[in-house]
Amino acid sequence: MEQCSEQFSDEQTKMYFYENRLKTYEGWPFEEGCACTPENMAKAGFIHTPSDNSPDTAMCFFCLKELEGWEPEDDPKKEHQSHSSACHFIALKKSVEHLTMEEFMKLQKERHKFIINKFCNEAIGKFEEASKLRRGDIVKSAMGEE
């Protein structure tokens, strides 16, 4: 649950603002002459979340959809819409700075739903994996294969 609380932090709330998302793009492999520049990625709601194996991994701070394997001609907004059509951030009709407090709170509520769903699904996956392993141990024990 600690990971989940990180997603509710002020640090993550700062990601509503373009400038803060843009700052995450240090070492991004695509620059000028590409559709997926750091500027376009940040405008589409993505933050750069590289790993050792995938230096081009980006995640929407809002819906938590992660995408990798970017090509220079990929349009971040179109990719975001096609992979996460339910994302409320990409569907915004005005900038965050122009939202009323009520609109922002509704948006934040939707973001929390994505966070809760992601972490619940991860917990369910871990539980299912652990139960498969335990079941295997029980079957081996019952058959005297220890």
Side-chain angles (χ1 to χ4, degrees), residues 9-26:
S9 71
D10 287 341
E11 198 58 39
Q12 286 301 313
T13 304
K14 289 178 186 175
M15 292 303 158
Y16 273 100
F17 300 98
Y18 165 79
E19 295 79 15
N20 294 327
R21 293 190 304 275
L22 186 59
K23 288 177 191 174
T24 69
Y25 280 89
E26 190 172 311

Side-chain angles (χ1 to χ4, degrees), residues 13-144:
T13 304
K14 289 178 186 175
M15 292 303 158
Y16 273 100
F17 300 98
Y18 165 79
E19 295 79 15
N20 294 327
R21 293 190 304 275
L22 186 59
K23 288 177 191 174
T24 69
Y25 280 89
E26 190 172 311
W28 180 248
F30 302 100
E31 293 292 333
E32 290 141 28
C34 298
C36 56
T37 61
E39 293 79 11
N40 289 340
M41 295 294 289
K43 285 177 189 168
F46 289 110
I47 57 175
H48 187 203
T49 55
S51 67
D52 291 339
N53 299 341
S54 301
D56 70 339
T57 302
M59 177 183 75
C60 173
F61 83 97
F62 189 91
C63 69
L64 309 179
K65 181 67 176 177
E66 274 191 315
L67 298 176
E68 60 182 310
W70 291 89
E71 299 291 333
E73 65 279 357
D74 288 341
D75 180 320
K77 190 170 184 177
K78 287 179 183 171
E79 292 295 324
H80 192 172
Q81 287 169 327
S82 72
H83 291 278
S84 187
S85 59
C87 181
H88 294 268
F89 184 80
I90 198 70
L92 276 179
K93 301 288 186 236
K94 54 183 170 179
S95 70
V96 171
E97 293 84 358
H98 293 102
L99 295 175
T100 65
M101 183 54 82
E102 182 179 358
E103 290 169 329
F104 180 78
M105 295 310 289
K106 285 180 180 177
L107 193 61
Q108 187 71 333
K109 180 181 89 173
E110 295 303 322
R111 180 172 173 265
H112 288 183
K113 288 180 187 177
F114 280 108
I115 294 167
I116 291 166
N117 282 333
K118 178 180 180 175
F119 290 101
C120 286
N121 288 337
E122 285 176 0
I124 289 167
K126 286 177 186 175
F127 175 79
E128 288 173 344
E129 188 61 34
S131 65
K132 283 179 192 172
L133 293 173
R134 183 69 182 131
R135 183 179 192 283
D137 291 344
I138 291 169
V139 169
K140 283 180 189 175
S141 176
M143 297 177 87

